C-alpha cells in the first residue's frame, strides 16, 4: 500500500509492518482511545509473545508475533484527534466521542460521526489491501484493543455494501465492485460495541420472547416480508450509522467470519459485562464466537495467555498456522 494513498475523511496513513517472508496474510489491528498507531504497533510487536518448547529441549522460550507469523503484513490504522466531550472538549486520539460508558440513547449520538467515518476508513483499507495485493479476504484478520476493538467490530458488521467510501472518483470506481464474502477472523480485546443502549433495545425487540417481537420489520417499513431475525438485527446496526439495509436473502460477511472475544474480569475501564454483551449479540446473529475470560486481569491484552489463545484460535479456525521455533 503506497504511503501516497489519500485516506477518507482525512485519516492518517497507517503504520505498516511488512512481512519478513513472502506475503500470505494481513492483520489490521486498531489501537485504543488516547493511543497511537506508532505506540500500539511498537508495544504489541515488542511485548506480545507465546511460550514454546521443542523436541528434547524442555526450556520454555518466548516467541514474538513477527516470528510466529513471518508471512503476515501488519497494518495499524491511526485514529485522528477528535474533541473529547468527557475531557472538556480537548483533542484526543479517539475513534469516536462519548461521555461515559453508561450513556443513554440520546447521548450515544456523540458516537455517530466517529464510528461512521472510522468504518469508512477501515473498509477502504481492507479493499485497498485486496486490490493491491491479490490476497483473498479470508486471509485478512481484523481487530483491535478497547475502542479499537469497538470500531473494528462495527466495521466488520457493516462491511457488506457499505456505500460510498468518500474517496476520489477513480478509487471509488476501482473499489466499488470488490465483494467480500468473509474475512479470515475478528479479534476483539477488552472491547465493546458502540451504541450499546440502542443495540440492546433493538435486539430485545427482534429476539425477545414476546410474541409481538416476532416479525418486526426494521428494514422495510410497511411491507410484509419474512426477514430473518439475524438480518433484521444486522440492519438495525447498519441503521445506526445511516447505511442502507441489506436484502432479506443477504449473506453477510460477518456471519461467516469467526470472532475471538477476550476480556479480563477485573477490567475497570471497560467492564467485562460489555464484553459479555458483545459475545451475546454476536451469538444471537449465529456468528461463530470464541469467548475467553482472564481472571484478575485488567484493561489490556494478557501476555502470554491471551496471545496464545489468539494464536490457537487462528490455527483452529484454519486462518493461519503459527511458525513455531
Amino acid at each position: 500500500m503506497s504511503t501516497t494513498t489519500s485516506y477518507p475523511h482525512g485519516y492518517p496513513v497507517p503504520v505498516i509492518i511488512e512481512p519478513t517472508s513472502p506475503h500470505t496474510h494481513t492483520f489490521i489491528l486498531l489501537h485504543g482511545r488516547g493511543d497511537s498507531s506508532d505506540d500500539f504497533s511498537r508495544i504489541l510487536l515488542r511485548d506480545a509473545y507465546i511460550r514454546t518448547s521443542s523436541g528434547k529441549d524442555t526450556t520454555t522460550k518466548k516467541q514474538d508475533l513477527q516470528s510466529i507469523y513471518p508471512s503476515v503484513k501488519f497494518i495499524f490504522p491511526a485514529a485522528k484527534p477528535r474533541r473529547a466531550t468527557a475531557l472538556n472538549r480537548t483533542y484526543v486520539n479517539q475513534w469516536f466521542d462519548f461521555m461515559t460508558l453508561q450513556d443513554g440513547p440520546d447521548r450515544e449520538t456523540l458516537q455517530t460521526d466517529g464510528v461512521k467515518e472510522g468504518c469508512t476508513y477501515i473498509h477502504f483499507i481492507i479493499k485497498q489491501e485486496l486490490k493491491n495485493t491479490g490476497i483473498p479476504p479470508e486471509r485478512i484478520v481484523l481487530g483491535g484493543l478497547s475502542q479499537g476493538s469497538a470500531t473494528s467490530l462495527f466495521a466488520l458488521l457493516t462491511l457488506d455494501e457499505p456505500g460510498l467510501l468518500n474517496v476520489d472518483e477513480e478509487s471509488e470506481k476501482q473499489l466499488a465492485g470488490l465483494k467480500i464474502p468473509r474475512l479470515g477472523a475478528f479479534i476483539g480485546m477488552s472491547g465493546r460495541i458502540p451504541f450499546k443502549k440502542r443495540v440492546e433495545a433493538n435486539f430485545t425487540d427482534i429476539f425477545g420472547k414476546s410474541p409481538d417481537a416476532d416479525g418486526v420489520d426494521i428494514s422495510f417499513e410497511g411491507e410484509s416480508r419474512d426477514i430473518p431475525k439475524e438480518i433484521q438485527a444486522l440492519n438495525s446496526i447498519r441503521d445506526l450509522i445511516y447505511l442502507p439495509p441489506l436484502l432479506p436473502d443477504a449473506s453477510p460477511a460477518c456471519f461467516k467470519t469467526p470472532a475471538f472475544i477476550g476480556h479480563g474480569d477485573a477490567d475497570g475501564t471497560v467492564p467485562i459485562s460489555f464484553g459479555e454483551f458483545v459475545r451475546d449479540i454476536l451469538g444471537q446473529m449465529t456468528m461463530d464466537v470464541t469467548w475467553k475470560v482472564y481472571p484478575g486481569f485488567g484493561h489490556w491484552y494478557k501476555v502470554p495467555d491471551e496471545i496464545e489463545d489468539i494464536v490457537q484460535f487462528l490455527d483452529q479456525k484454519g486462518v493461519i498456522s503459527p511458525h513455531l521455533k
Side-chain angles (χ1 to χ4, degrees):
M1 190 180 298
S2 171
T3 56
T4 61
T5 298
S6 177
Y7 291 90
H9 300 295
Y11 275 94
V13 175
V15 170
I16 299 176
I17 309 297
E18 296 291 348
T20 57
S21 67
H23 181 209
T24 63
H25 294 71
T26 296
F27 289 9
I28 302 171
L29 302 173
L30 281 64
H31 65 79
R33 181 175 186 250
D35 203 349
S36 69
S37 54
D38 288 307
D39 286 348
F40 181 55
S41 61
R42 176 177 52 81
I43 294 171
L44 179 70
L45 297 182
R46 182 194 67 194
D47 294 350
Y49 68 87
I50 65 171
R51 295 162 291 193
T52 63
S53 59
S54 60
K56 296 180 180 180
D57 184 0
T58 58
T59 304
T60 300
K61 301 176 181 178
K62 297 180 180 180
Q63 191 171 347
D64 63 34
L65 288 175
Q66 283 183 284
S67 66
I68 298 166
Y69 299 125
S71 64
V72 168
K73 176 198 287 186
F74 290 90
I75 298 179
F76 296 92
K80 60 184 180 182
R82 292 179 178 275
R83 290 193 181 275
T85 301
L87 299 173
N88 296 317
R89 292 184 52 77
T90 56
Y91 279 101
V92 174
N93 284 348
Q94 58 177 0
W95 294 102
F96 54 87
D97 192 19
F98 70 101
M99 188 65 181
T100 73
L101 294 184
Q102 286 71 43
D103 283 350
D106 291 340
R107 186 170 274 175
E108 282 185 337
T109 57
L110 287 171
Q111 304 173 35
T112 305
D113 289 345
V115 173
K116 184 175 178 62
E117 291 179 5
C119 286
T120 300
Y121 176 45
I122 302 309
H123 294 161
F124 179 78
I125 290 172
I126 292 170
K127 291 196 169 189
Q128 279 283 84
E129 187 67 6
L130 294 174
K131 180 177 77 74
N132 292 343
T133 68
I135 66 169
E138 59 269 22
R139 292 187 177 184
I140 290 181
V141 174
L142 175 65
L145 172 71
S146 192
Q147 200 183 74
S149 173
T151 304
S152 56
L153 175 60
F154 225 84
L156 172 66
L157 296 176
T158 58
L159 186 58
D160 299 87
E161 303 171 22
L164 294 176
L165 291 169
N166 295 308
V167 291
D168 63 273
E169 184 177 352
E170 185 59 32
S171 294
E172 195 72 60
K173 288 179 181 178
Q174 292 176 356
L175 302 179
L178 282 174
K179 300 297 181 184
I180 304 176
R182 59 162 289 186
L183 295 183
F186 172 80
I187 305 294
M189 302 174 289
S190 297
R192 61 186 177 104
I193 190 167
F195 311 108
K196 179 180 182 291
K197 293 292 176 64
R198 283 190 283 175
V199 171
E200 187 172 25
N202 288 338
F203 274 54
T204 298
D205 285 343
I206 295 165
F207 295 104
K209 296 179 180 180
S210 168
D212 294 336
D214 292 337
V216 171
D217 189 344
I218 287 177
S219 307
F220 300 90
E221 292 186 10
E223 298 184 26
S224 57
R225 298 201 185 197
D226 184 18
I227 303 173
K229 289 186 176 182
E230 296 80 12
I231 298 297
Q232 292 183 45
L234 196 57
N235 281 340
S236 74
I237 288 173
R238 293 172 62 85
D239 185 62
L240 292 170
I241 56 171
Y242 307 109
L243 291 178
L246 300 175
L247 295 174
D249 61 352
S251 181
C254 62
F255 289 0
K256 299 180 287 294
T257 301
F260 174 94
I261 309 295
H263 219 108
D265 68 3
D267 191 332
T269 302
V270 179
I272 192 172
S273 61
F274 287 80
E276 292 169 337
F277 181 74
V278 169
R279 174 201 64 193
D280 292 344
I281 64 168
L282 298 188
Q284 284 181 297
M285 291 190 292
T286 70
M287 289 178 61
D288 177 4
V289 181
T290 296
W291 167 248
K292 294 288 185 179
V293 177
Y294 301 98
F297 191 69
H299 188 69
W300 199 246
Y301 46 84
K302 186 169 186 181
V303 180
D305 306 61
E306 189 167 6
I307 304 304
E308 292 173 344
D309 287 339
I310 291 169
V311 170
Q312 182 181 53
F313 164 80
L314 294 174
D315 190 20
Q316 290 178 342
K317 298 303 177 183
V319 181
I320 184 171
S321 296
H323 177 72
L324 302 178
K325 295 181 179 179

